[in-house]
């Protein structure tokens, strides 16, 4: 019984679901603070939590589809302990779980609001296009990583913003674009431990294609570009000055780059390497720091 529960948890990879939950939960706080409507938070807490769970469910769909399609790759990458290769969960069971979560995500999304429901459909489609034939974006160099930078970097904040705000506002898209560039750089960490199997099965990720030194340069360039873009938006008046608080995330980014440059990367108990874990934690940090900055700005305005 306990082993089967653990297998189902492994299938959805719960650590990867924390960042999308944070994205919506704190994304709503950012939007309410920007609109000066923080009083709406507590009365709508149940809506915010369900909306957060909906995006986590959409992410879980992608995680399950990835494992359904990548059984042979997982075996070659010495991940045959995963639920499907190990036989603990069948492919048909995993498919039922994936589509059940997809239906949950979409139904909750439309229960929250029409715009949010459409965003959930887009997230599900990203998971399908990334993993399944005839699209199988995962196989295509840099298109694979760009796809993830859009679904995990650009779109979550506009989705959260749409719950109580206007998804056409510029702010969530500008902040989302900053995160998209950062994700484009560091999403690559998930593939560091999968080079052998990916190469043998024709999955051409940047980690497979580029020499290590070249990849380090690319990630370093995109990391710097992330914060240059942030400064540009603030200097142009498109984002408020308090968004410069996001520069605090340059510190974990610099640490990650140091580990990458030294090629000194440890495996964690979370199944993947420490940079992959740091990627998800720092990505969640973007929303938390931005929410804190907006809250501080809101309270300073209130008492000034």
């Amino acid at each position: 019984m306990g082993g089967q529960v653990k297998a189902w948890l492994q299938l959805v990879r719960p650590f990867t679901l924390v960042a999308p939950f944070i994205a919506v939960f704190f994304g709503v706080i950012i939007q309410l603070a920007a609109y000066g409507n923080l009083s709406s938070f507590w009365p709508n807490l149940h809506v915010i939590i369900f909306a957060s769970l909906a995006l986590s469910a959409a992410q879980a769909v992608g995680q399950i589809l990835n494992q359904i399609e990548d059984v042979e790759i997982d075996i070659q990458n010495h991940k045959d302990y995963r639920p499907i290769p190990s036989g603990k969960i069948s492919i048909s069971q995993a498919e039922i779980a994936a589509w059940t979560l997809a239906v949950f995500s979409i139904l909750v999304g439309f229960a929250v609001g029409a715009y949010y429901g459409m965003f959930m459909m887009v997230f599900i489609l990203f998971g399908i296009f990334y993993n399944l034939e005839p699209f199988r974006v995962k196989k295509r160099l840099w298109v694979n990583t760009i796809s993830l930078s859009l679904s995990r970097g650009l779109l979550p904040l506009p989705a959260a913003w749409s719950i109580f705000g206007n998804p056409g506002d510029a702010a969530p898209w500008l902040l989302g674009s900053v995160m998209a560039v950062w994700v484009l750089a560091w999403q690559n960490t998930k593939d560091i431990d999968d080079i052998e199997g990916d190469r043998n099965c024709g999955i051409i990720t940047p980690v497979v294609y580029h020499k290590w030194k070249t990849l380090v340069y690319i990630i370093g360039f995109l990391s710097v570009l992330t914060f240059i873009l942030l400064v540009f938006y603030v200097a142009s008046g498109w984002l408020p000055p308090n968004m410069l608080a996001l520069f605090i995330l340059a510190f974990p980014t610099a640490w990650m780059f140091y580990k990458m440059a030294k090629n000194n990367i440890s495996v964690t108990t979370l199944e993947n390497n420490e940079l992959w874990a740091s990627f998800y934690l720092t990505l969640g940090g973007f929303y938390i720091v931005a929410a804190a900055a907006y809250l501080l700005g809101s309270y300073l305005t209130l008492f000034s």
Side-chain angles (χ1 to χ4, degrees):
M1 178 66 178
Q4 197 65 19
V5 171
K6 183 179 179 181
W8 283 105
L9 287 174
Q10 284 180 321
L11 187 69
V12 299
R13 306 190 74 190
F15 182 74
T16 68
L17 310 185
V18 174
F21 186 94
I22 287 174
V24 176
F25 192 89
F26 286 91
V28 168
I29 293 174
I30 294 169
Q31 181 270 316
L32 292 176
Y35 276 43
N37 192 26
L38 284 167
S39 60
S40 298
F41 179 79
W42 290 111
N44 291 288
L45 182 60
H46 62 293
V47 175
I48 298 167
I49 290 174
F50 272 105
S52 303
L53 290 172
L55 184 54
S56 291
Q59 171 114 338
V61 172
Q63 297 290 359
I64 297 173
L65 293 179
N66 184 267
Q67 292 178 71
I68 290 171
E69 293 299 310
D70 288 1
V71 176
E72 180 59 33
I73 297 174
D74 283 343
I75 292 171
Q76 293 197 34
N77 286 328
H78 312 293
K79 294 181 178 179
D80 47 1
Y81 54 82
R82 281 183 168 178
I84 298 176
S86 67
K88 295 174 182 175
I89 294 174
S90 68
I91 287 178
S92 60
Q93 287 175 317
E95 288 174 338
I96 292 171
W99 301 124
T100 301
L101 286 168
V103 170
F104 169 82
S105 175
I106 293 170
L107 289 180
V108 171
F110 278 106
V112 169
Y115 285 125
Y116 195 68
M118 287 187 282
F119 270 112
M120 291 307 101
M121 292 181 67
V122 169
F123 285 117
I124 298 296
L125 287 173
F126 264 103
I128 292 171
F129 291 155
Y130 184 81
N131 291 293
L132 303 185
E133 298 288 2
F135 315 102
R136 192 68 161 151
V137 169
K138 182 176 180 177
K139 296 191 300 187
R140 294 166 174 81
L141 178 64
W142 280 109
V143 178
N144 40 32
T145 314
I146 290 171
S147 169
L148 293 173
S149 76
L150 295 176
S151 62
R152 297 179 180 180
L154 177 65
L155 294 176
L157 184 55
W161 199 277
S162 74
I163 296 172
F164 300 114
N166 179 3
D169 290 345
W173 295 97
L174 293 172
L175 275 174
S177 68
V178 171
M179 288 184 276
V181 176
W182 191 88
V183 171
L184 185 61
W186 291 103
Q187 182 68 58
N188 290 294
T189 57
K190 76 178 180 63
D191 300 314
I192 291 173
D193 302 318
D194 299 338
I195 295 174
E196 179 185 352
D198 284 351
R199 181 185 289 117
N200 293 341
C201 295
I203 306 298
I204 311 302
T205 64
V207 178
V208 169
Y209 183 81
H210 295 290
K211 293 180 179 179
W212 187 262
K213 186 175 181 180
T214 302
L215 184 66
V216 169
Y217 280 132
I218 292 171
I219 290 176
F221 169 76
L222 291 171
S223 298
V224 172
L225 182 61
T226 298
F227 296 100
I228 290 176
L229 193 62
L230 176 63
V231 170
F232 173 72
Y233 288 158
V234 172
S236 300
W238 298 340
L239 285 176
N242 57 8
M243 284 301 93
L244 292 176
L246 290 171
F247 260 86
I248 196 172
L249 298 170
F251 291 101
T253 302
W255 175 84
M256 292 165 68
F257 182 76
Y258 173 79
K259 299 287 286 187
M260 189 91 182
K262 293 290 186 181
N263 198 6
N264 179 21
I265 305 167
S266 304
V267 176
T268 71
T269 56
L270 296 169
E271 184 182 4
N272 215 312
N273 63 75
E274 61 183 328
L275 292 187
W276 171 87
S278 298
F279 161 76
Y280 275 105
L281 292 173
T282 307
L283 180 58
F286 273 93
Y287 297 96
I288 294 171
V289 172
Y294 264 103
L295 283 172
L296 181 60
S298 179
Y299 284 124
L300 290 176
T301 300
L302 184 65
F303 292 108
S304 62

